[in-house]
């Protein structure tokens, strides 16, 4: 029997339990590419899966972890051969398909993106799903027609993973960025990533008005709920918000006023089932549009054994920036 270390989630009588275990390679699920995982990362969804705070995991036992970067070990897929460096984000990894917190993963070759030449496997996971989603949000705002000349962009949950990467990318592209955060003590950190203004979370809290004073040309929101509703009410005529998250709640207590009176657009962002060409475009953009020194400054590294602690911290909104998990 060949085994490898993995963070395995089991169903228990009272819920679920995550623990490091030796996983038998024979129990890996079907797939045409086997990957030696080098790095993974901790996203909000990973926190939910490990703590069991939301029903992210759809199959038990499950290896947690929604994305990895590593090297192809074996492949029967025409696009991939042993030695290729690859990234996988989403596609149900860690939810319906055995995931990334393991020394080995067997997956569908169609899910993989080639690691851009200028990005290491570690940096790819410092970016991770959170960073690649931030890039998808920026691309959506650009597609809507927003440019630095349109006006400032608000980023909610700015000190978190999606938020930190979004601030860094937008500032590199020349946008003026308002970083909204519930952690004012992170103001210097957010300014070092390129935020031109720090806005207290409270400015976007409370019962949203249908329309408030027009403040931002656009927004990137990873919080949802009243935060997103307030943000929409403050977007300038013709602007747009790319919404990707629910760290503050799944609801949206908004009115249609921003849409029908200011032509504001709400752009939905999904990274999990996002088609391959858009993923490849996002990763290409990340190679050029994300300052690697800023990425390093927002990232810390942990080992597999520290996952439960960091998972609890991320769902409590206490993780700053990005966390990479060294595996191989
Ligand atoms: P993080 O925990 O790193 O960031 C979330 C941030 O939101 C926190 O750091 C905090 O920022 C803010 N926040 C947390 N709780 C609250 C609250 N109750 N009210 C207001 N703000 C709050 O998570 P990620 O960046 O990894 O993910 C962010 C969100 O995006 C998650 O909901 C995640 O599921 C979603 N997501 C969605 C994807 C998709 O495909 N649509 C892909 C990736 C992520 P601060 O302290 O600065 O206020």
């Amino acid at each position: 029997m060949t085994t490898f270390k993995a963070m395995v989630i089991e169903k228990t009588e009272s819920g679920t339990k995550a623990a490091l275990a030796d996983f038998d390679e024979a129990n890996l699920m079907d797939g045409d590419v086997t990957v030696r995982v080098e790095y993974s990362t901790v996203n909000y969804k990973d926190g939910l899966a490990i703590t069991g705070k939301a029903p992210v995991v759809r199959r038990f036992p499950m290896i947690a972890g929604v994305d990895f970067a590593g090297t192809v070990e074996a492949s029967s897929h025409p696009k991939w051969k042993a030695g290729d460096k690859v990234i996988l984000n989403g596609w149900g990894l860690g939810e319906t398909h055995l995931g990334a917190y393991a020394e080995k993963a067997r997956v569908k070759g169609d899910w993989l993106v080639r690691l851009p030449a200028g990005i290491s496997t570690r940096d790819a996971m410092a970016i991770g799903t959170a960073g690649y989603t931030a890039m998808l949000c920026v691309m959506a705002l650009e597609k809507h027609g927003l440019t630095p000349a349109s006006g400032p962009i608000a980023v909610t949950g700015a000190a978190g993973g999606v938020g930190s990467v979004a601030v860094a990318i937008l500032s590199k592209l020349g946008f003026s960025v308002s970083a909204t955060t519930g952690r004012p003590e992170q103001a210097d950190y957010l300014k070092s990533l390129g935020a031109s203004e720090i806005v207290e979370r409270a400015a976007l809290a409370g019962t949203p008005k249908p329309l408030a004073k027009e403040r931002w040309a656009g927004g990137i929101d990873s919080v949802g709920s009243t935060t997103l509703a307030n943000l929409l009410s403050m977007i300038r005529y013709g602007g747009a918000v790319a919404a990707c998250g629910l760290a503050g709640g799944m609801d949206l207590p908004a009115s249609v006023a921003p849409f029908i009176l200011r032509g504001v657009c709400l752009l939905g962002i999904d990274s999990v089932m996002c088609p391959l060409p858009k993923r490849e475009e996002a990763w290409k953009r990340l190679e050029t549009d994300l300052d690697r020194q800023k990425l390093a400054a927002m990232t810390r590294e942990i080992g597999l054994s520290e996952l439960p602690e960091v998972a609890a911290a991320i769902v409590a909104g206490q993780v700053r920036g990005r966390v990479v998990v060294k595996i191989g």
Side-chain angles (χ1 to χ4, degrees):
M1 175 166 107
T2 312
T3 65
F4 54 83
K5 284 262 173 283
M7 180 58 65
V8 178
I9 303 182
E10 302 271 8
K11 206 163 182 53
T12 64
E13 272 179 21
S14 55
T16 61
K17 185 175 182 306
L20 262 186
D22 291 313
F23 197 89
D24 185 351
E25 189 170 341
N27 291 331
L28 280 176
M29 292 164 76
D30 286 348
D32 45 14
V33 180
T34 304
V35 177
R36 198 172 67 249
V37 179
E38 292 166 23
Y39 289 95
S40 183
T41 178
V42 186
N43 303 286
Y44 189 82
K45 191 190 268 179
D46 298 310
L48 292 176
I50 290 176
T51 59
K53 270 193 110 178
V56 167
V57 177
R58 303 287 173 178
R59 162 206 199 269
F60 296 94
M62 174 53 75
I63 298 176
V66 306
D67 44 1
F68 65 66
T71 304
V72 172
E73 202 170 75
S75 167
S76 58
H77 188 283
K79 188 171 168 188
W80 306 108
K81 59 176 190 329
D84 286 344
K85 297 279 188 190
V86 290
I87 305 170
L88 194 154
N89 305 108
W91 293 119
L93 216 69
E95 301 181 62
T96 53
H97 194 94
L98 290 172
Y101 296 147
E103 287 161 348
K104 249 177 220 196
R106 186 167 304 132
V107 298
K108 285 191 185 170
D110 291 346
W111 294 344
L112 297 166
V113 168
R114 196 172 298 281
L115 184 75
I119 301 184
S120 65
T121 49
R122 187 181 187 279
D123 276 356
M125 285 300 103
I127 295 167
T129 282
Y132 138 70
T133 302
M135 191 73 241
L136 291 176
C137 290
V138 173
M139 285 160 53
L141 294 181
E142 288 175 339
K143 193 170 168 203
H144 183 78
L146 296 186
T147 67
S150 309
I153 308 291
V155 174
T156 65
V162 172
S164 293
V165 180
V167 170
I169 295 171
L170 287 168
S171 99
K172 173 130 195 215
L173 293 173
F175 286 91
S176 168
V177 186
S178 300
T180 84
T181 182
R183 291 180 276 178
E185 69 276 13
Q186 298 298 342
D188 288 345
Y189 162 75
L190 290 166
K191 286 198 169 148
S192 76
L193 297 182
S196 30
E197 182 194 21
I198 308 298
V199 176
E200 290 241 10
R201 186 189 287 177
L204 296 176
T207 307
K209 292 182 191 158
L211 293 175
K213 188 168 180 289
E214 292 181 55
R215 196 160 174 186
W216 294 292
I220 293 182
D221 177 62
S222 58
V223 175
S225 192
T226 46
T227 301
L228 175 56
N230 276 295
L231 179 60
L232 285 166
S233 76
M234 296 176 191
I235 296 298
R236 290 183 190 172
Y237 193 92
V241 175
C244 71
L246 45 59
M250 186 91 158
D251 60 328
L252 180 56
S255 84
V256 296
F259 311 129
I260 64 173
L261 297 175
R262 288 185 183 158
V264 168
C265 286
L266 180 55
L267 312 170
I269 304 299
D270 169 61
S271 68
V272 179
M273 304 307 286
C274 175
L276 197 59
K278 204 191 250 187
R279 288 171 186 261
E280 288 172 336
E281 187 191 343
W283 278 102
K284 198 157 169 272
R285 292 283 307 272
L286 284 159
E287 196 179 1
T288 52
D289 296 347
L290 174 62
D291 184 309
R292 227 53 71 74
Q293 277 179 342
K294 287 182 182 171
L295 180 65
M298 72 175 81
T299 304
R300 73 183 174 104
E301 182 176 312
I302 63 165
L304 276 174
S305 63
E306 291 157 90
L307 274 170
E309 189 192 319
V310 176
I314 201 165
V315 294
Q318 288 163 358
V319 166
R320 183 180 95 170
R322 302 280 303 128
V323 178
V324 290
V325 185
K326 184 166 170 49
I327 299 197

